[in-house]
Amino acid sequence: MEAQTVKRVVIAGGGTAGWIAAAALVKQLGPLLDITLVESDEIGTVGVGESTIPTTRTFHSLLGIYEQAFLRETTSTFKLGIAFENWNRIGDKYFHAFGTVGKSVWMADFQHFWLEARRQGFGGDYGDYSLEQQAAHAGKFATSEGSTLSYAYHLDATAYARFLRGLAEPAGVKRVEGKISQVLQNARTGYVEALELASGQRIEGDLFIDCTGFRALLIEQALQTGFVDWSEWLSTNAAVVVQSESTGPAVPYTRAIAHEAGWRWRIPLQHRVGNGLVYCDADMSDDAARAKLLADIDGKPLFEPRLLRFKAGTRKQSWNKNVIAMGLSSGFIEPLESTSIHLIKIAVSRLIQSFPFGGISDATMSRFNAESRKEMEHIRDFIILHYKLTERDDSPFWRRCRDMPIPDSLANRIALFRDNAAAYQGADEMFRIDSWIMVMLGQGVEPRSYHQLGRLMEPGQLRSALSDLKGGIAAELARLPAHQDFVEHYSKG
Ligand code: FAD
């Protein structure tokens, strides 16, 4: 058996990515590794990333995180999905809920039964069969042993990194404060051997995790790995962000409100609201974006808006030589479906599963890279869907989105649904069938046909099956308290 040759792990950067990586590695592999994290208070973190998806909970349970302590320290609220406004047409609204919609059978998914019911003149909206959507609209929420609600969190990004640090440091992660001034590479292999700080301190390692955010200090500035640019499909490239005072009870969902050159988010936390306006700077100036954000938010801003720039795309390799990029250094797809933090968690989980104790091999690296790329492309397609399927023609931005050619992978999915109301979730794909359907219906796709299984049902059987589903949701809804009341009560626990 080979000796352990990879033992010293150095994490460069202490934002959400750095501390997620540190907390997960030390929790799972702590006794086998020697982990150091370097971060610079002077540089700071990106300070956004407040909306999550339900996989966060799985990750937290792997880390043994106690939910109530997490909620308290990160002033989190609960999230049941995203409310989209003005995306297909100005004035339109639809909801992308977590959880499952209706009930499927092995021969056909639920949408086929619902479409048959609609043909027969009953059935209502697809979202009537989503407990999460109904609870979100009613402003209700509870979590308990028996609760079936699928949920995620709205969290304070800075507090989250601090919370994870509070787990990682006592478990053995060494934190070094300082600015990395040089990445020292082996002259022959190009492998990174050490990080040199402005103070002159050197931090040597066997494996380096680049969590330096958009700077991508190791993976790009040192290793020049290259970037695959997806801005032809996702042209938003800037955001102005500001926090504001709460003006009422926190709703259990993120709002994503489209405007003439992008969209704006609203994320309610326990003590404040996070706001940001995402736009394409070829279609809207920074000053106009800032003014629009301030005009549209509904509470007093807590500081001057900050401007962030980004580009949609992914690193050609997330893992190159002995450097693995996680978080913004590995690439970025704009935050519309709150997927970035999830990608960090998946990346560190994958590293834990395939940790190269005996040395870095091309096979391990290329499998890691292939899986990362597949995940990014899947998310990329799902985000493009929201822009492509628009009927808006009120601005050059939306006309461009509507008319742009899209990746074949996405064109096929849309055609499948349009032709036959069919949707699928491939192995290892994150977005579920229900997610694809909610967004495609919400963005105005009308399937031309669907599975005819519903027609084989006895008269009245389909109607009573759907009405039972609605009845079950109404009964569960009646038992749920108001979200705000639940948060106040539960996070004190
Ligand atoms: P950063 O937070 O930028 O951290 C970089 C770290 O590297 C810092 O600690 C910094 O000090 C350190 N560093 C950099 N250079 C040096 C150096 N020379 N020496 C020492 N240290 C250094 N994600 C979601 O999941 N949901 C969302 O709702 C969401 N919204 C977003 C909105 C916007 C506009 C943007 C841009 C991103 C959003 N994200 C969201 C993404 C999310 O913010 C990031 O994925 C997450 O915060 C991780 O960032 P990071 O740790 O990679 O980078």
Side-chain angles (χ1 to χ4, degrees):
M1 199 171 106
E2 281 187 47
Q4 181 176 343
T5 55
V6 178
K7 184 170 172 60
R8 297 168 304 167
V9 176
V10 178
I11 301 171
T16 305
W19 284 112
I20 285 177
L25 282 166
V26 77
K27 165 81 184 172
Q28 303 299 334
L29 302 176
L32 300 172
L33 304 176
D34 172 3
I35 308 169
T36 307
L37 182 146
V38 191
E39 67 178 322
S40 158
D41 290 340
E42 185 193 323
I43 293 175
T45 67
V46 71
V48 281
E50 303 197 316
S51 190
T52 63
I53 56 176
T55 50
T56 294
R57 287 168 48 221
T58 320
F59 186 78
H60 283 185
S61 68
L62 287 177
L63 259 54
I65 288 175
Y66 178 55
E67 188 176 56
Q68 283 161 296
F70 155 77
L71 286 165
R72 257 195 320 273
E73 290 188 37
T74 56
T75 67
S76 294
T77 58
F78 296 95
K79 173 182 171 189
L80 293 166
I82 305 176
F84 288 90
E85 300 169 35
N86 303 334
W87 281 81
N88 185 27
R89 297 191 203 126
I90 295 173
D92 269 7
K93 280 187 183 179
Y94 73 92
F95 199 82
H96 172 197
F98 300 140
T100 48
V101 182
K103 198 166 183 308
S104 303
V105 298
W106 72 269
M107 263 198 284
D109 292 321
F110 176 70
Q111 75 274 13
H112 300 286
F113 296 98
W114 170 73
L115 285 163
E116 173 58 20
R118 224 180 44 164
R119 187 191 67 82
Q120 292 182 32
F122 64 94
D125 291 332
Y126 186 67
D128 292 351
Y129 303 91
S130 155
L131 172 63
E132 287 74 10
Q133 177 167 332
Q134 297 311 311
H137 285 160
K140 290 182 149 199
F141 184 84
T143 162
S144 68
E145 285 296 302
S147 169
T148 55
L149 277 176
S150 173
Y151 65 90
Y153 309 105
H154 292 137
L155 49 83
D156 177 327
T158 309
Y160 190 44
R162 198 166 51 231
F163 175 75
L164 292 166
R165 177 180 163 191
L167 301 179
E169 276 196 293
V173 172
K174 290 189 280 296
R175 173 182 180 270
V176 176
E177 207 306 300
K179 198 163 161 185
I180 302 160
S181 56
Q182 265 203 82
V183 178
L184 305 171
Q185 291 170 259
N186 181 291
R188 189 177 53 82
T189 62
Y191 272 49
V192 174
E193 292 180 334
L195 302 180
E196 190 169 288
L197 307 190
S199 62
Q201 185 181 352
R202 280 169 70 119
I203 300 164
E204 294 181 354
D206 306 314
L207 182 71
F208 291 79
I209 305 188
D210 186 345
C211 297
T212 59
F214 288 129
R215 285 177 179 79
L217 220 59
L218 285 73
I219 195 82
E220 197 57 58
Q221 291 192 36
L223 296 188
Q224 300 184 352
T225 303
F227 188 75
V228 185
D229 186 339
W230 288 334
S231 48
E232 67 187 282
W233 299 304
L234 296 168
S235 62
T236 58
N237 58 6
V240 273
V241 301
V242 76
Q243 296 164 4
S244 60
E245 286 176 355
S246 305
T247 52
V251 293
Y253 55 88
T254 302
R255 282 177 70 192
I257 308 151
H259 61 77
E260 65 269 30
W263 62 284
R264 155 171 93 82
W265 75 74
R266 186 183 186 282
I267 298 174
L269 304 186
Q270 288 180 33
H271 62 308
R272 62 157 174 84
V273 175
N275 309 276
L277 189 123
V278 175
Y279 57 102
C280 171
D281 65 9
D283 297 284
M284 183 176 266
S285 71
D286 299 339
D287 286 346
R290 188 180 170 284
K292 182 162 180 54
L293 175 70
L294 291 175
D296 289 351
I297 59 174
D298 50 6
K300 196 167 148 238
L302 296 172
F303 53 74
E304 273 297 297
R306 284 189 305 124
L307 173 65
L308 299 167
R309 297 204 186 277
F310 52 83
K311 188 190 270 188
T314 184
R315 220 44 75 196
K316 281 191 176 147
Q317 290 170 259
S318 311
W319 185 338
N320 187 4
K321 302 188 189 291
N322 62 338
V323 172
I324 302 177
M326 290 186 197
L328 298 172
S329 66
S330 68
F332 185 56
I333 299 173
E334 63 133 283
L336 187 57
E337 286 279 354
S338 339
T339 41
S340 291
I341 296 175
H342 161 82
L343 285 168
I344 302 167
K345 291 170 176 170
I346 290 288
V348 72
S349 306
R350 181 174 306 126
L351 172 62
I352 290 167
Q353 284 165 352
S354 55
F355 197 88
F357 291 103
I360 292 163
S361 81
D362 283 350
T364 310
M365 202 188 318
S366 70
R367 181 162 163 73
F368 187 98
N369 285 331
E371 291 189 337
S372 308
R373 175 64 82 87
K374 220 167 61 191
E375 255 156 33
M376 284 290 273
E377 287 177 354
H378 171 68
I379 291 172
R380 174 201 69 190
D381 282 4
F382 192 62
I383 306 298
I384 298 172
L385 180 74
H386 301 66
Y387 286 101
K388 172 66 184 173
L389 291 181
T390 187
E391 293 169 54
R392 284 185 67 150
D393 64 358
D394 54 295
S395 66
F397 175 83
W398 288 108
R399 285 193 289 275
R400 210 170 56 238
C401 290
R402 191 193 58 190
D403 297 339
M404 68 184 166
I406 53 173
D408 290 345
S409 43
L410 176 59
N412 291 339
R413 283 210 199 243
I414 298 174
L416 255 183
F417 190 67
R418 190 164 268 148
D419 293 347
N420 256 324
Y424 64 92
Q425 178 179 17
D428 299 330
E429 286 183 351
M430 191 191 68
F431 286 108
R432 297 156 305 112
I433 290 175
D434 314 70
S435 294
W436 287 96
I437 294 173
M438 277 184 274
V439 175
M440 287 198 267
L441 288 174
Q443 296 278 159
V445 180
E446 279 289 333
R448 284 193 272 267
S449 180
Y450 51 89
H451 198 295
Q452 301 294 301
L453 189 67
R455 287 190 178 208
L456 297 178
M457 294 171 85
E458 295 291 320
Q461 202 187 346
L462 181 60
R463 189 186 285 270
S464 75
L466 293 197
S467 130
D468 286 353
L469 287 170
K470 279 192 189 171
I473 289 176
E476 190 149 353
L477 213 54
R479 287 194 292 272
L480 293 174
H483 171 248
Q484 179 73 32
D485 293 346
F486 183 78
V487 169
E488 280 169 21
H489 165 77
Y490 184 72
S491 53
K492 283 199 193 99

